Amino acid sequence: MTVQDVIEGFKEDAPQNAERDAYADELYQEAIRIGMELNTCYHTPKEIREIMGRLIGKPVDDTFRLFPPFYTDFGKNITLGKDVFINSCCHFQDQGGITVGDGAFIGHNVVLATINHDLQPKYNRKNHYAPIIIGKNVWIGSNATILSGVTVGDWAVVAAGAVVTKDVPPMTVVGGVPAKIIKTISE
């Protein structure tokens, strides 16, 4: 059983698999342990990159910056580009996959949520996973929430407090609840 097997199990048509589910539970617990390590004492920037590398299961570029605390419930389905900055108190719910492009700035208390739940009682709040893709040089303001299945285009800006439910075109500013295009950014 591999991490990739667990990630494949999050897909809509994946069959039930008790072994995969047990391994997923181990990975959730590992994310909690590593998150506690990251968040409970001071670490140098180099140590933060090393801890994040263990958390996401892949190397983190030397240009990556993070101000803890940082929270994730899985960790292994996060991909970080170069020159990414994540400010404190962000929450990444990454089972559906989160990709953060080069040069992205993510403000305080941002939530990236890749899981939604079925509304119909007969499906017992079944999980539905969809990736979030943050393009290059995106700026996400404090307290914004980006929901599952959303792509934020290159050089877009998500205003503080926005709730993004639909894709954001490149070179635009969105804000509000739900977020709407406020303006286009000119080159």
Side-chain angles (χ1 to χ4, degrees), residues 110-180:
V110 167
V111 174
L112 304 181
T114 66
I115 301 174
N116 204 344
H117 301 282
D118 212 298
L119 295 176
Q120 294 178 311
K122 68 181 178 180
Y123 296 117
N124 195 28
R125 299 283 189 246
K126 180 183 182 325
N127 290 343
H128 299 280
Y129 307 90
I132 293 173
I133 299 169
I134 307 300
K136 293 179 181 178
N137 302 298
V138 168
W139 177 16
I140 302 173
S142 295
N143 296 303
T145 299
I146 298 178
L147 299 181
S148 63
V150 169
T151 295
V152 180
D154 295 350
W155 289 99
V157 176
V158 175
V163 176
V164 183
T165 61
K166 296 179 180 166
D167 288 354
V168 177
M171 303 290 290
T172 58
V173 178
V174 298
V177 180
K180 296 186 180 349

Side-chain angles (χ1 to χ4, degrees), residues 14 29 38 41 43 54 65 67 80 95 97 101 103 107 119 123 130 141 159:
Q29 292 306 307
L38 175 67
C41 67
H43 298 284
R54 285 191 289 122
R65 295 177 299 139
F67 290 171
L80 300 169
Q95 287 93 328
L119 295 176
Y123 296 117

Side-chain angles (χ1 to χ4, degrees), residues 18-103:
E19 180 186 2
R20 185 184 62 228
D21 292 346
Y23 187 49
D25 287 341
E26 289 178 33
L27 294 173
Y28 297 140
Q29 292 306 307
E30 178 182 74
I32 292 168
R33 275 192 311 276
I34 295 171
M36 292 296 291
E37 177 186 348
L38 175 67
N39 296 333
T40 57
C41 67
Y42 172 78
H43 298 284
T44 66
K46 182 178 179 182
E47 290 169 335
I48 288 172
R49 289 189 296 274
E50 183 274 325
I51 294 168
M52 282 298 289
R54 285 191 289 122
L55 182 61
I56 70 173
K58 53 190 86 111
V60 174
D61 192 80
D62 287 344
T63 59
F64 173 77
R65 295 177 299 139
L66 168 74
F67 290 171
F70 174 82
Y71 305 96
T72 186
D73 49 3
F74 184 62
K76 299 296 191 269
N77 210 1
I78 297 171
T79 301
L80 300 169
K82 295 179 180 181
D83 201 29
V84 168
F85 172 68
I86 301 173
N87 217 323
S88 58
C89 297
C90 289
H91 297 253
F92 285 21
Q93 182 188 51
D94 66 295
Q95 287 93 328
I98 294 172
T99 301
V100 180
D102 295 347

